């Protein structure tokens, strides 16, 4: 599995869920995950799954990229990554190669491996989440990267980890009928709690019904955290306490300022990062999250009343998912896309969480069948 990891935890956590499910169903199978994530070593994998970490790259605020740790140019870092990916393909000789999200990989780095594996008879699969981006941005981006051509040329199957009734992420690309026929909508990827509990000590707040506020990796979750804290600061009558989970990529200065504000609020507490967040989610009474793919799967899997506060920059992926999920009655959404971000709006949304229906009250056939279909 090639995991497109330049930022955040999303791709890595999706790849890990798929890898773990494969070895559980097929004892004797081996899965290698190729990833550039700097935190891949913090996660546990089932027996039969291992990973190779390629040198990391990171996204800058202006949308550009640079090498994460090595003092080399971006081109050199990509060349190094490309060579490692190809070498792994030759040494491991897989039967199936699953590429996550990017048909050509980061800056085309996966193309030499695709050429080699296609010639050697390996089955090539592109796995994509339910929502990519709004069509007006996705189409030119894929044209620029040669992604549409790569999709047509290399991939035997395309797995969409969602449902056709919710969203059709590749609809705008005008794919030939023979490529359309390779698309399978698997349903969402069900999550379970890890077999062993987290060793992290949970704050006292978790001994009563609480709201879990999570921003995934945390690198772009400042607005959500700020909005939740401001609601508690503005409305002393908010009864249900909330636990805010920062994520490993939060900016250090922002984190310090948030910790100071949280310390002044008796109904708030904070944790840095939990690599077994599933246990916390199961424990929580309700969730507030940005609405990335993994968190959405977890909200459905653990049947949690969830308020989605989607980011709308630099892409509308989370907003599109939240709009569709709210339409189906699976979650509620609070957005600053068209209305201002006020403490009062957040406080009202937090208060109504407890009376919201649970996702399981909506019956959608095949909703969480993703791992079984994979």
């Amino acid at each position: 599995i090639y995991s497109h990891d330049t930022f955040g935890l999303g791709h890595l956590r999706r790849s890990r869920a798929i890898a773990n499910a494969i070895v559980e169903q097929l004892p004797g199978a081996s899965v290698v995950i190729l990833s550039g994530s700097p935190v891949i070593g913090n996660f546990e994998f089932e027996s039969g799954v291992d990973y190779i970490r390629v040198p990391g790259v990171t996204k800058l605020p202006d949308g550009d990229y640079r090498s994460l740790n090595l003092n080399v140019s971006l081109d050199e870092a990509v060349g190094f990554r490309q060579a490692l990916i190809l070498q792994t393909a030759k040494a491991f000789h897989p039967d199936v190669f699953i590429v996550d999200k990017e048909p050509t990989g980061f800056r085309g780095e996966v193309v030499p491996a695709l050429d080699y594996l296609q010639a050697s008879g390996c089955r090539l699969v592109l796995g994509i989440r339910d929502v990519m981006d709004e069509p007006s941005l996705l189409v030119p981006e894929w044209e620029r990267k040669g992604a549409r051509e790569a999709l047509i040329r290399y991939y035997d199957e395309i797995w969409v980890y969602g449902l056709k009734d919710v969203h059709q992420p590749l609809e705008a690309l005008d794919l030939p009928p023979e490529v359309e026929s390779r698309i399978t909508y698997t349903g969402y990827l069900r999550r379970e709690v890890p077999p062993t509990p987290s060793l992290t000590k949970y704050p006292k707040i978790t001994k009563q019904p609480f709201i879990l506020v999570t921003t995934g990796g945390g690198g772009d979750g400042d607005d959500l955290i700020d909005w939740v804290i401001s609601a508690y600061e503005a409305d002393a009558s908010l009864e249900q306490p909330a636990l805010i989970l920062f994520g490993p990529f939060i900016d250090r200065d922002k984190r310090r300022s948030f910790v100071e504000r949280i310390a002044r609020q008796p109904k708030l507490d904070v944790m840095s990062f939990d690599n077994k967040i599933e246990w916390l989610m199961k424990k929580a009474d309700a969730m507030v999250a940005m609405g990335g793919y993994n968190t959405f799967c977890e909200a459905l899997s653990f049947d949690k009343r969830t308020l989605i506060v989607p980011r709308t920059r630099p892409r509308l992926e989370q907003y599109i998912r939240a709009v569709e999920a709210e339409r189906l009655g699976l979650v509620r959404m609070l957005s600053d896309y068209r209305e201002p971000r006020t403490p009062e709006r957040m406080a009202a949304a937090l208060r109504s969480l407890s009376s919201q229906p649970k996702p399981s009250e909506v019956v959608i056939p095949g909703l969480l069948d993703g791992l079984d279909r994979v």
Side-chain angles (χ1 to χ4, degrees):
I1 301 177
Y2 164 83
S3 177
H4 171 75
D5 276 300
T6 54
F7 184 73
L9 295 172
H11 306 289
L12 169 61
R13 293 183 64 219
R14 181 163 59 239
S15 299
R16 171 177 166 252
I18 290 166
N20 286 346
I22 288 170
V23 296
E24 268 177 35
Q25 284 294 313
L26 299 170
S30 292
V31 183
V32 167
I33 298 174
L34 284 155
S35 169
S37 171
V39 295
I40 191 167
N42 293 2
F43 291 94
E44 284 181 7
F45 297 91
E46 297 285 339
S47 172
V49 181
D50 211 336
Y51 62 86
I52 290 172
R53 186 172 167 239
V54 297
V57 292
T58 186
K59 200 176 200 172
L60 301 170
D62 63 4
D64 261 355
Y65 289 88
R66 65 169 173 78
S67 171
L68 179 63
N69 291 320
L70 297 177
N71 295 315
V72 298
S73 71
L74 182 63
D75 286 346
E76 286 176 284
V78 171
F80 192 7
R81 286 164 59 106
Q82 181 174 295
L84 284 169
I85 294 163
L86 178 59
Q87 193 52 48
T88 304
K90 289 178 174 177
F92 189 55
H93 199 66
D95 299 290
V96 180
F97 184 40
I98 304 174
V99 172
D100 187 67
K101 181 180 175 274
E102 295 282 349
T104 60
F106 178 66
R107 307 240 164 171
E109 67 187 5
V110 97
V111 171
L114 290 172
D115 280 323
Y116 172 79
L117 290 170
Q118 188 174 52
S120 69
C122 174
R123 300 291 285 175
L124 304 176
V125 176
L126 180 71
I128 57 173
R129 61 184 183 228
D130 57 341
V131 182
M132 301 284 277
D133 202 349
E134 55 185 315
S136 63
L137 292 179
L138 181 68
V139 173
E141 184 187 333
W142 273 45
E143 288 294 330
R144 193 177 71 249
K145 293 175 174 175
R148 185 177 177 275
E149 288 68 34
L151 186 66
I152 295 166
R153 178 178 168 188
Y154 292 112
Y155 290 96
D156 301 299
E157 296 188 31
I158 300 147
W159 299 343
V160 179
Y161 306 127
L163 290 179
K164 200 171 188 174
D165 299 347
V166 179
H167 194 71
Q168 298 178 44
L170 300 177
E171 194 177 23
L173 292 171
D174 192 27
L175 296 168
E178 70 271 15
V179 178
E180 287 280 353
S181 69
R182 299 177 206 159
I183 299 175
T184 297
Y185 287 84
T186 65
Y188 289 90
L189 304 175
R190 187 186 60 254
R191 302 305 162 89
E192 283 160 10
V193 290
T196 54
S198 173
L199 297 174
T200 310
K201 195 172 184 304
Y202 295 149
K204 205 181 290 178
I205 221 168
T206 61
K207 293 196 168 30
Q208 58 191 302
F210 70 98
I211 298 167
L212 177 66
V213 181
T214 172
T215 60
D220 52 5
D222 303 344
D223 288 350
L224 170 57
I225 293 171
D226 175 64
W227 202 357
V228 170
I229 297 172
S230 74
Y232 281 88
E233 287 169 338
D235 189 341
S237 69
L238 272 175
E239 278 180 26
Q240 195 161 31
L243 175 64
I244 295 172
L245 193 65
F246 279 153
F249 302 123
I250 188 169
D251 175 82
R252 211 170 289 169
D253 294 333
K254 289 263 172 61
R255 174 195 169 117
R256 196 177 299 118
S257 131
F258 287 149
V259 167
E260 286 170 6
R261 289 169 65 193
I262 289 166
R264 293 194 285 270
Q265 295 304 318
K267 296 275 171 64
L268 291 180
D269 212 329
V270 67
M271 279 176 64
S272 292
F273 175 54
D274 186 1
N275 64 350
K276 295 185 178 179
I277 189 178
E278 298 89 350
W279 282 96
L280 258 184
M281 288 175 164
K282 199 169 163 58
K283 210 172 163 55
D285 190 52
M287 283 171 35
V288 177
M290 287 169 65
Y293 180 83
N294 290 289
T295 311
F296 182 60
C297 290
E298 284 150 352
L300 300 181
S301 301
F302 301 128
D303 199 22
K304 295 297 167 185
R305 297 181 175 95
T306 303
L307 176 68
I308 300 282
V309 185
R311 67 159 189 241
T312 52
R313 296 174 304 274
R315 57 180 78 240
L316 280 177
E317 169 230 334
Q318 294 184 357
Y319 181 77
I320 295 166
R321 180 180 298 112
V323 167
E324 296 301 328
E326 187 173 55
R327 172 180 66 81
L328 293 166
L330 294 166
V331 301
R332 293 251 171 91
M333 178 180 82
L334 182 68
S335 172
D336 61 355
Y337 188 45
R338 294 200 169 90
E339 287 183 69
R341 205 154 42 102
T342 65
E344 293 74 23
R345 284 184 67 214
M346 176 59 81
L350 292 171
R351 196 171 275 112
S352 64
L353 256 176
S354 56
S355 59
Q356 188 175 313
K358 290 187 167 187
S360 60
E361 292 175 45
V362 183
V363 178
I364 300 172
L367 183 66
L368 283 167
D369 287 357
L371 291 177
D372 301 328
R373 291 297 298 278
V374 165

